[in-house]
Amino acid sequence: MKKRFLTSILFFIVLTSFSQRTVSVQSEKNSDNSYTLYAESAAFNSVTLRIKFQILNGYTSTVSDNSLITVFTGRSQIGKIEPIKNNQSFQFSYNYSYFNGTAQRKSPDTNFVYLLPIGQGKNIQVMNNVRSLKSILNQKETTVFHATGFTYHLNDTICAIRSGLVFKSNADMRKGEKRNETYSSERDKIEIEQKDGTLAYYSFTAPVKLLVMPGDKVIPGQPLAVFDSIAEKYHLILNVNYLDSKKLTDYLYSGEPSLNGSFYISLPLKFYFDENKTDYVSSSGLYRALHPLPIVTAEMSKKEKKKFDL
């Protein structure tokens, strides 16, 4: 019987929004009738990819349904599909989904010390009563929610709290537009993948002038945006989370829609205050921001220190 090969059928599923850049998966046939799987990522940040086979008849694959594959910008080989010797029928098809960040098996270090998100020597008002959108809508929280709000003034600068890579920046808010102090993933924001794989979201409630763009590397204390337009309030809501490997796997296998997004775990943040004090923000109040050199350079290589003359 003549052997029949069916080109792979791709069902494109995106479970996490990538409004600026996307990820794709292709299969290429080799001379020995095997196929090589490639991921093509145009995202600036790392992405966790999951491939699921609907049909795998007459083949074996190095990629299983429970594989979570980390891909970075550019093209990379992620697996192979090889024919089984003496099989008569050969078919395969698969779909794939991808998620912001690198799936992590354990929680990142919550004792890491962050800078306050404003310039050196500036005072900033902390609001510690930020609520998630689910709590506002009286929906059940599937994970503990952590976020901190900060009050600024006209012409104040939002600064980076930690080193990282900007992977999204959006500032489409109309001048004078009002926003409540509710955390929402849809608000205008700057998104940064930090050096430990955590994702920092700087969400603002007033128009800003952006000073960074996707692809920029930033260091602690570096200006990110300026509140340059007259508005009723100047607030920043800061949330840092990570992609949890186990929770993501549980979601992918259960297919339960209510768990969508629950695989991102938010983290409490420890900030550097004046007088060499570090602590988690437990109450609202006025704090003075300092940028001590050991905090700024904590994650920098010798090359980076030389670049920034530190």
Side-chain angles (χ1 to χ4, degrees), residues 216-271:
D216 286 348
K217 292 182 179 180
V218 298
I219 64 172
Q222 180 173 332
L224 302 177
V226 177
F227 287 107
D228 68 335
S229 301
I230 296 176
E232 181 181 343
K233 300 176 181 178
Y234 305 93
H235 290 162
L236 172 73
I237 297 174
L238 188 60
N239 173 257
V240 172
N241 65 34
Y242 72 97
L243 181 58
D244 185 88
S245 176
K246 184 179 184 304
K247 289 184 178 294
L248 177 58
T249 300
D250 290 345
Y251 164 74
L252 291 170
Y253 272 92
S254 70
E256 175 56 49
S258 65
L259 295 178
N260 191 9
S262 66
F263 33 80
Y264 285 101
I265 310 298
S266 64
L267 298 171
L269 302 182
K270 178 181 283 188
F271 290 98

Short mmCIF file of all heavy atoms in Angstrom, two decimals, residues 216-271:
data_model
loop_
_atom_site.label_atom_id
_atom_site.label_comp_id
_atom_site.label_asym_id
_atom_site.label_seq_id
_atom_site.Cartn_x
_atom_site.Cartn_y
_atom_site.Cartn_z
N ASP A 216 13.14 48.21 24.50
CA ASP A 216 14.10 48.94 25.31
C ASP A 216 14.44 48.17 26.58
O ASP A 216 13.55 47.65 27.26
CB ASP A 216 13.55 50.32 25.71
CG ASP A 216 13.53 51.30 24.57
OD1 ASP A 216 14.15 51.02 23.53
OD2 ASP A 216 12.88 52.36 24.71
N LYS A 217 15.73 48.12 26.93
CA LYS A 217 16.16 47.60 28.22
C LYS A 217 16.24 48.76 29.20
O LYS A 217 16.74 49.84 28.85
CB LYS A 217 17.51 46.91 28.10
CG LYS A 217 17.47 45.61 27.29
CD LYS A 217 18.84 44.95 27.25
CE LYS A 217 18.79 43.64 26.47
NZ LYS A 217 20.11 42.97 26.41
N VAL A 218 15.76 48.55 30.41
CA VAL A 218 15.75 49.62 31.41
C VAL A 218 16.45 49.14 32.68
O VAL A 218 16.56 47.94 32.94
CB VAL A 218 14.32 50.08 31.74
CG1 VAL A 218 13.64 50.65 30.50
CG2 VAL A 218 13.48 48.94 32.33
N ILE A 219 16.94 50.09 33.46
CA ILE A 219 17.58 49.80 34.73
C ILE A 219 16.76 50.45 35.84
O ILE A 219 15.95 51.36 35.58
CB ILE A 219 19.04 50.30 34.77
CG1 ILE A 219 19.09 51.82 34.65
CG2 ILE A 219 19.86 49.64 33.67
CD1 ILE A 219 20.48 52.40 34.86
N PRO A 220 16.95 50.04 37.09
CA PRO A 220 16.20 50.63 38.20
C PRO A 220 16.39 52.14 38.27
O PRO A 220 17.50 52.65 38.16
CB PRO A 220 16.79 49.94 39.44
CG PRO A 220 17.33 48.65 38.93
CD PRO A 220 17.83 48.94 37.55
N GLY A 221 15.29 52.85 38.43
CA GLY A 221 15.33 54.30 38.52
C GLY A 221 15.25 55.02 37.19
O GLY A 221 15.13 56.25 37.16
N GLN A 222 15.28 54.29 36.08
CA GLN A 222 15.23 54.93 34.76
C GLN A 222 13.83 55.47 34.49
O GLN A 222 12.83 54.80 34.71
CB GLN A 222 15.61 53.92 33.68
CG GLN A 222 15.59 54.50 32.27
CD GLN A 222 16.13 53.53 31.24
OE1 GLN A 222 16.96 52.68 31.56
NE2 GLN A 222 15.68 53.63 30.01
N PRO A 223 13.72 56.71 33.98
CA PRO A 223 12.41 57.28 33.64
C PRO A 223 11.69 56.47 32.56
O PRO A 223 12.30 56.12 31.54
CB PRO A 223 12.75 58.68 33.15
CG PRO A 223 14.06 59.01 33.80
CD PRO A 223 14.81 57.71 33.83
N LEU A 224 10.41 56.21 32.79
CA LEU A 224 9.59 55.46 31.84
C LEU A 224 8.54 56.34 31.16
O LEU A 224 8.23 56.15 29.99
CB LEU A 224 8.88 54.30 32.55
CG LEU A 224 9.74 53.28 33.28
CD1 LEU A 224 8.84 52.25 33.97
CD2 LEU A 224 10.70 52.59 32.32
N ALA A 225 7.98 57.28 31.92
CA ALA A 225 6.91 58.13 31.39
C ALA A 225 6.75 59.35 32.30
O ALA A 225 7.17 59.34 33.46
CB ALA A 225 5.60 57.36 31.31
N VAL A 226 6.14 60.39 31.74
CA VAL A 226 5.90 61.63 32.49
C VAL A 226 4.42 61.98 32.42
O VAL A 226 3.81 61.92 31.34
CB VAL A 226 6.74 62.79 31.91
CG1 VAL A 226 6.44 64.09 32.66
CG2 VAL A 226 8.22 62.48 31.97
N PHE A 227 3.83 62.35 33.55
CA PHE A 227 2.46 62.87 33.56
C PHE A 227 2.52 64.31 33.05
O PHE A 227 2.77 65.25 33.80
CB PHE A 227 1.87 62.82 34.98
CG PHE A 227 1.52 61.44 35.45
CD1 PHE A 227 2.27 60.79 36.41
CD2 PHE A 227 0.41 60.78 34.92
CE1 PHE A 227 1.93 59.52 36.84
CE2 PHE A 227 0.06 59.51 35.35
CZ PHE A 227 0.82 58.87 36.31
N ASP A 228 2.30 64.48 31.76
CA ASP A 228 2.55 65.79 31.13
C ASP A 228 1.28 66.55 30.76
O ASP A 228 1.36 67.61 30.14
CB ASP A 228 3.40 65.60 29.87
CG ASP A 228 2.65 64.86 28.76
OD1 ASP A 228 1.70 64.11 29.09
OD2 ASP A 228 3.01 65.03 27.59
N SER A 229 0.10 66.03 31.13
CA SER A 229 -1.15 66.69 30.76
C SER A 229 -2.02 66.91 31.99
O SER A 229 -2.02 66.09 32.92
CB SER A 229 -1.93 65.84 29.75
OG SER A 229 -1.17 65.62 28.58
N ILE A 230 -2.75 68.02 31.99
CA ILE A 230 -3.63 68.32 33.11
C ILE A 230 -4.74 67.28 33.19
O ILE A 230 -5.40 66.96 32.20
CB ILE A 230 -4.23 69.73 32.96
CG1 ILE A 230 -3.12 70.78 33.03
CG2 ILE A 230 -5.28 69.99 34.03
CD1 ILE A 230 -3.60 72.19 32.79
N ALA A 231 -4.91 66.69 34.37
CA ALA A 231 -5.94 65.68 34.60
C ALA A 231 -6.45 65.80 36.01
O ALA A 231 -5.87 66.50 36.86
CB ALA A 231 -5.37 64.28 34.34
N GLU A 232 -7.56 65.13 36.29
CA GLU A 232 -8.14 65.19 37.64
C GLU A 232 -7.26 64.46 38.66
O GLU A 232 -7.10 64.90 39.79
CB GLU A 232 -9.55 64.58 37.62
CG GLU A 232 -10.25 64.63 38.97
CD GLU A 232 -11.62 64.00 38.91
OE1 GLU A 232 -12.17 63.83 37.79
OE2 GLU A 232 -12.16 63.68 39.99
N LYS A 233 -6.69 63.32 38.25
CA LYS A 233 -5.87 62.50 39.14
C LYS A 233 -4.65 61.99 38.37
O LYS A 233 -4.72 61.78 37.16
CB LYS A 233 -6.67 61.32 39.69
CG LYS A 233 -7.90 61.70 40.49
CD LYS A 233 -8.68 60.44 40.89
CE LYS A 233 -9.93 60.80 41.67
NZ LYS A 233 -10.72 59.60 42.04
N TYR A 234 -3.57 61.77 39.11
CA TYR A 234 -2.36 61.20 38.51
C TYR A 234 -1.98 59.97 39.34
O TYR A 234 -1.28 60.09 40.35
CB TYR A 234 -1.22 62.22 38.52
CG TYR A 234 -1.57 63.54 37.84
CD1 TYR A 234 -2.06 64.60 38.58
CD2 TYR A 234 -1.41 63.69 36.46
CE1 TYR A 234 -2.40 65.80 37.97
CE2 TYR A 234 -1.74 64.88 35.84
CZ TYR A 234 -2.23 65.93 36.60
OH TYR A 234 -2.56 67.12 35.98
N HIS A 235 -2.46 58.84 38.90
CA HIS A 235 -2.24 57.62 39.67
C HIS A 235 -1.52 56.57 38.82
O HIS A 235 -1.73 56.47 37.60
CB HIS A 235 -3.58 57.02 40.14
CG HIS A 235 -4.25 57.83 41.20
ND1 HIS A 235 -5.59 57.67 41.50
CD2 HIS A 235 -3.78 58.79 42.03
CE1 HIS A 235 -5.91 58.51 42.48
NE2 HIS A 235 -4.83 59.19 42.81
N LEU A 236 -0.67 55.81 39.50
CA LEU A 236 -0.03 54.64 38.91
C LEU A 236 -0.41 53.43 39.74
O LEU A 236 -0.36 53.46 40.97
CB LEU A 236 1.50 54.79 38.92
CG LEU A 236 2.30 53.55 38.51
CD1 LEU A 236 2.20 53.32 37.01
CD2 LEU A 236 3.75 53.68 38.94
N ILE A 237 -0.81 52.36 39.09
CA ILE A 237 -1.10 51.10 39.77
C ILE A 237 -0.06 50.09 39.31
O ILE A 237 0.10 49.84 38.12
CB ILE A 237 -2.52 50.61 39.49
CG1 ILE A 237 -3.53 51.62 40.04
CG2 ILE A 237 -2.75 49.24 40.11
CD1 ILE A 237 -4.96 51.33 39.70
N LEU A 238 0.65 49.55 40.28
CA LEU A 238 1.79 48.68 40.00
C LEU A 238 1.47 47.26 40.43
O LEU A 238 1.08 47.00 41.56
CB LEU A 238 3.01 49.20 40.75
CG LEU A 238 4.36 48.56 40.47
CD1 LEU A 238 4.73 48.71 39.00
CD2 LEU A 238 5.42 49.20 41.35
N ASN A 239 1.62 46.33 39.49
CA ASN A 239 1.35 44.92 39.76
C ASN A 239 2.46 44.09 39.13
O ASN A 239 2.84 44.31 37.98
CB ASN A 239 -0.01 44.54 39.16
CG ASN A 239 -0.30 43.05 39.24
OD1 ASN A 239 -0.19 42.35 38.25
ND2 ASN A 239 -0.68 42.57 40.40
N VAL A 240 3.01 43.13 39.89
CA VAL A 240 4.04 42.24 39.38
C VAL A 240 3.55 40.80 39.55
O VAL A 240 3.10 40.42 40.63
CB VAL A 240 5.39 42.43 40.13
CG1 VAL A 240 6.39 41.35 39.71
CG2 VAL A 240 5.95 43.81 39.85
N ASN A 241 3.62 40.01 38.48
CA ASN A 241 3.19 38.62 38.59
C ASN A 241 4.13 37.71 37.83
O ASN A 241 5.07 38.15 37.16
CB ASN A 241 1.74 38.46 38.13
CG ASN A 241 1.52 38.77 36.66
OD1 ASN A 241 2.38 38.50 35.83
ND2 ASN A 241 0.37 39.31 36.32
N TYR A 242 3.86 36.42 37.93
CA TYR A 242 4.64 35.44 37.18
C TYR A 242 3.71 34.34 36.68
O TYR A 242 2.61 34.14 37.22
CB TYR A 242 5.77 34.85 38.02
CG TYR A 242 5.33 33.91 39.12
CD1 TYR A 242 5.34 32.52 38.93
CD2 TYR A 242 4.90 34.39 40.34
CE1 TYR A 242 4.94 31.66 39.94
CE2 TYR A 242 4.50 33.53 41.36
CZ TYR A 242 4.52 32.17 41.15
OH TYR A 242 4.11 31.32 42.14
N LEU A 243 4.14 33.64 35.65
CA LEU A 243 3.37 32.56 35.06
C LEU A 243 3.72 31.26 35.79
O LEU A 243 4.86 30.80 35.76
CB LEU A 243 3.70 32.44 33.57
CG LEU A 243 2.98 31.36 32.76
CD1 LEU A 243 1.47 31.54 32.83
CD2 LEU A 243 3.44 31.40 31.31
N ASP A 244 2.73 30.69 36.48
CA ASP A 244 2.94 29.50 37.29
C ASP A 244 2.76 28.24 36.44
O ASP A 244 1.70 28.02 35.85
CB ASP A 244 1.97 29.49 38.47
CG ASP A 244 2.22 28.34 39.42
OD1 ASP A 244 3.02 28.51 40.34
OD2 ASP A 244 1.62 27.26 39.23
N SER A 245 3.79 27.41 36.39
CA SER A 245 3.80 26.23 35.53
C SER A 245 2.69 25.25 35.88
O SER A 245 1.95 24.77 35.00
CB SER A 245 5.16 25.54 35.63
OG SER A 245 5.18 24.35 34.88
N LYS A 246 2.53 24.93 37.15
CA LYS A 246 1.53 23.94 37.56
C LYS A 246 0.11 24.44 37.30
O LYS A 246 -0.73 23.70 36.79
CB LYS A 246 1.69 23.60 39.05
CG LYS A 246 0.74 22.50 39.52
CD LYS A 246 0.95 22.17 40.98
CE LYS A 246 0.07 21.00 41.40
NZ LYS A 246 -1.38 21.23 41.14
N LYS A 247 -0.16 25.69 37.66
CA LYS A 247 -1.50 26.23 37.45
C LYS A 247 -1.84 26.34 35.96
O LYS A 247 -2.99 26.13 35.56
CB LYS A 247 -1.65 27.59 38.14
CG LYS A 247 -1.70 27.49 39.66
CD LYS A 247 -1.95 28.83 40.29
CE LYS A 247 -2.06 28.71 41.81
NZ LYS A 247 -3.24 27.94 42.22
N LEU A 248 -0.83 26.66 35.14
CA LEU A 248 -1.07 26.72 33.70
C LEU A 248 -1.38 25.33 33.16
O LEU A 248 -2.31 25.15 32.36
CB LEU A 248 0.15 27.30 32.99
CG LEU A 248 0.08 27.35 31.46
CD1 LEU A 248 -1.13 28.16 30.99
CD2 LEU A 248 1.36 27.92 30.87
N THR A 249 -0.63 24.33 33.59
CA THR A 249 -0.88 22.95 33.15
C THR A 249 -2.26 22.49 33.58
O THR A 249 -3.00 21.86 32.79
CB THR A 249 0.20 22.00 33.72
OG1 THR A 249 1.48 22.42 33.25
CG2 THR A 249 -0.05 20.57 33.27
N ASP A 250 -2.64 22.80 34.82
CA ASP A 250 -3.97 22.43 35.31
C ASP A 250 -5.06 23.06 34.46
O ASP A 250 -6.07 22.43 34.12
CB ASP A 250 -4.15 22.85 36.77
CG ASP A 250 -3.29 22.04 37.73
OD1 ASP A 250 -2.80 20.97 37.31
OD2 ASP A 250 -3.12 22.47 38.88
N TYR A 251 -4.88 24.32 34.10
CA TYR A 251 -5.86 25.02 33.27
C TYR A 251 -5.96 24.39 31.88
O TYR A 251 -7.06 24.16 31.36
CB TYR A 251 -5.48 26.50 33.15
CG TYR A 251 -6.21 27.21 32.02
CD1 TYR A 251 -7.55 27.54 32.13
CD2 TYR A 251 -5.54 27.52 30.84
CE1 TYR A 251 -8.22 28.17 31.10
CE2 TYR A 251 -6.21 28.16 29.80
CZ TYR A 251 -7.54 28.47 29.94
OH TYR A 251 -8.20 29.08 28.90
N LEU A 252 -4.83 24.09 31.29
CA LEU A 252 -4.81 23.54 29.93
C LEU A 252 -5.49 22.17 29.88
O LEU A 252 -6.15 21.83 28.90
CB LEU A 252 -3.38 23.44 29.42
CG LEU A 252 -2.69 24.78 29.13
CD1 LEU A 252 -1.20 24.57 28.88
CD2 LEU A 252 -3.34 25.48 27.94
N TYR A 253 -5.34 21.39 30.94
CA TYR A 253 -5.95 20.06 30.96
C TYR A 253 -7.42 20.10 31.35
O TYR A 253 -8.22 19.29 30.90
CB TYR A 253 -5.18 19.13 31.91
CG TYR A 253 -4.04 18.44 31.22
CD1 TYR A 253 -2.76 18.99 31.23
CD2 TYR A 253 -4.24 17.25 30.52
CE1 TYR A 253 -1.70 18.37 30.58
CE2 TYR A 253 -3.19 16.63 29.86
CZ TYR A 253 -1.92 17.19 29.90
OH TYR A 253 -0.89 16.58 29.24
N SER A 254 -7.80 21.05 32.20
CA SER A 254 -9.20 21.11 32.64
C SER A 254 -10.10 21.77 31.60
O SER A 254 -11.26 21.39 31.43
CB SER A 254 -9.31 21.89 33.96
OG SER A 254 -9.05 23.27 33.76
N GLY A 255 -9.54 22.75 30.88
CA GLY A 255 -10.35 23.48 29.91
C GLY A 255 -11.44 24.31 30.55
O GLY A 255 -12.39 24.72 29.88
N GLU A 256 -11.32 24.57 31.85
CA GLU A 256 -12.34 25.32 32.59
C GLU A 256 -12.17 26.82 32.33
O GLU A 256 -11.18 27.42 32.75
CB GLU A 256 -12.23 25.03 34.08
CG GLU A 256 -13.16 25.84 34.96
CD GLU A 256 -14.62 25.70 34.56
OE1 GLU A 256 -15.07 24.54 34.40
OE2 GLU A 256 -15.29 26.74 34.40
N PRO A 257 -13.14 27.46 31.65
CA PRO A 257 -12.99 28.88 31.29
C PRO A 257 -12.80 29.80 32.50
O PRO A 257 -12.10 30.81 32.40
CB PRO A 257 -14.31 29.20 30.57
CG PRO A 257 -14.81 27.88 30.08
CD PRO A 257 -14.39 26.88 31.10
N SER A 258 -13.40 29.46 33.62
CA SER A 258 -13.31 30.32 34.80
C SER A 258 -11.89 30.41 35.34
O SER A 258 -11.56 31.32 36.10
CB SER A 258 -14.25 29.84 35.90
OG SER A 258 -13.85 28.56 36.37
N LEU A 259 -11.02 29.46 34.96
CA LEU A 259 -9.63 29.46 35.43
C LEU A 259 -8.71 30.27 34.53
O LEU A 259 -7.52 30.41 34.84
CB LEU A 259 -9.11 28.02 35.54
CG LEU A 259 -9.79 27.11 36.56
CD1 LEU A 259 -9.19 25.72 36.51
CD2 LEU A 259 -9.68 27.69 37.96
N ASN A 260 -9.24 30.78 33.44
CA ASN A 260 -8.41 31.55 32.51
C ASN A 260 -7.80 32.76 33.22
O ASN A 260 -8.50 33.59 33.78
CB ASN A 260 -9.24 32.01 31.32
CG ASN A 260 -8.38 32.58 30.21
OD1 ASN A 260 -7.16 32.47 30.25
ND2 ASN A 260 -9.01 33.18 29.22
N GLY A 261 -6.50 32.85 33.21
CA GLY A 261 -5.79 33.94 33.87
C GLY A 261 -5.34 33.62 35.28
O GLY A 261 -4.49 34.31 35.82
N SER A 262 -5.91 32.56 35.88
CA SER A 262 -5.55 32.22 37.26
C SER A 262 -4.15 31.65 37.36
O SER A 262 -3.63 31.48 38.46
CB SER A 262 -6.56 31.23 37.85
OG SER A 262 -6.48 29.97 37.17
N PHE A 263 -3.54 31.37 36.21
CA PHE A 263 -2.19 30.82 36.20
C PHE A 263 -1.13 31.91 36.35
O PHE A 263 0.06 31.63 36.41
CB PHE A 263 -1.94 30.00 34.93
CG PHE A 263 -2.66 30.54 33.72
CD1 PHE A 263 -2.16 31.62 33.02
CD2 PHE A 263 -3.85 29.96 33.29
CE1 PHE A 263 -2.81 32.11 31.91
CE2 PHE A 263 -4.51 30.45 32.18
CZ PHE A 263 -4.00 31.53 31.48
N TYR A 264 -1.56 33.18 36.40
CA TYR A 264 -0.65 34.28 36.72
C TYR A 264 -0.80 34.62 38.20
O TYR A 264 -1.89 34.94 38.67
CB TYR A 264 -0.95 35.51 35.86
CG TYR A 264 -0.47 35.36 34.44
CD1 TYR A 264 -1.36 35.04 33.42
CD2 TYR A 264 0.87 35.53 34.11
CE1 TYR A 264 -0.93 34.89 32.11
CE2 TYR A 264 1.32 35.40 32.80
CZ TYR A 264 0.41 35.08 31.82
OH TYR A 264 0.85 34.92 30.52
N ILE A 265 0.30 34.54 38.94
CA ILE A 265 0.28 34.78 40.38
C ILE A 265 0.92 36.13 40.67
O ILE A 265 2.06 36.40 40.28
CB ILE A 265 1.07 33.69 41.13
CG1 ILE A 265 0.62 32.29 40.69
CG2 ILE A 265 0.92 33.88 42.64
CD1 ILE A 265 -0.82 31.98 40.97
N SER A 266 0.19 37.01 41.36
CA SER A 266 0.74 38.32 41.70
C SER A 266 1.55 38.23 42.98
O SER A 266 1.29 37.39 43.85
CB SER A 266 -0.38 39.36 41.83
OG SER A 266 -1.25 39.05 42.90
N LEU A 267 2.55 39.10 43.09
CA LEU A 267 3.51 39.04 44.18
C LEU A 267 3.48 40.31 45.03
O LEU A 267 3.31 41.41 44.49
CB LEU A 267 4.92 38.87 43.62
CG LEU A 267 5.21 37.59 42.83
CD1 LEU A 267 6.58 37.68 42.18
CD2 LEU A 267 5.13 36.36 43.72
N PRO A 268 3.64 40.16 46.35
CA PRO A 268 3.85 41.35 47.19
C PRO A 268 5.25 41.91 46.92
O PRO A 268 6.18 41.15 46.66
CB PRO A 268 3.72 40.80 48.61
CG PRO A 268 4.16 39.38 48.50
CD PRO A 268 3.71 38.91 47.13
N LEU A 269 5.39 43.22 46.98
CA LEU A 269 6.67 43.85 46.65
C LEU A 269 7.29 44.51 47.87
O LEU A 269 6.61 45.23 48.62
CB LEU A 269 6.47 44.90 45.54
CG LEU A 269 5.87 44.39 44.23
CD1 LEU A 269 5.78 45.53 43.22
CD2 LEU A 269 6.65 43.23 43.67
N LYS A 270 8.59 44.30 48.04
CA LYS A 270 9.36 44.95 49.11
C LYS A 270 10.11 46.12 48.50
O LYS A 270 10.89 45.95 47.55
CB LYS A 270 10.34 43.96 49.75
CG LYS A 270 11.21 44.58 50.84
CD LYS A 270 12.17 43.57 51.44
CE LYS A 270 11.47 42.64 52.40
NZ LYS A 270 12.43 41.78 53.13
N PHE A 271 9.87 47.33 49.04
CA PHE A 271 10.46 48.55 48.49
C PHE A 271 11.58 49.08 49.38
O PHE A 271 11.62 48.82 50.58
CB PHE A 271 9.39 49.64 48.32
CG PHE A 271 8.39 49.35 47.24
CD1 PHE A 271 7.15 48.81 47.55
CD2 PHE A 271 8.69 49.62 45.91
CE1 PHE A 271 6.22 48.55 46.55
CE2 PHE A 271 7.77 49.36 44.90
CZ PHE A 271 6.53 48.83 45.23
#
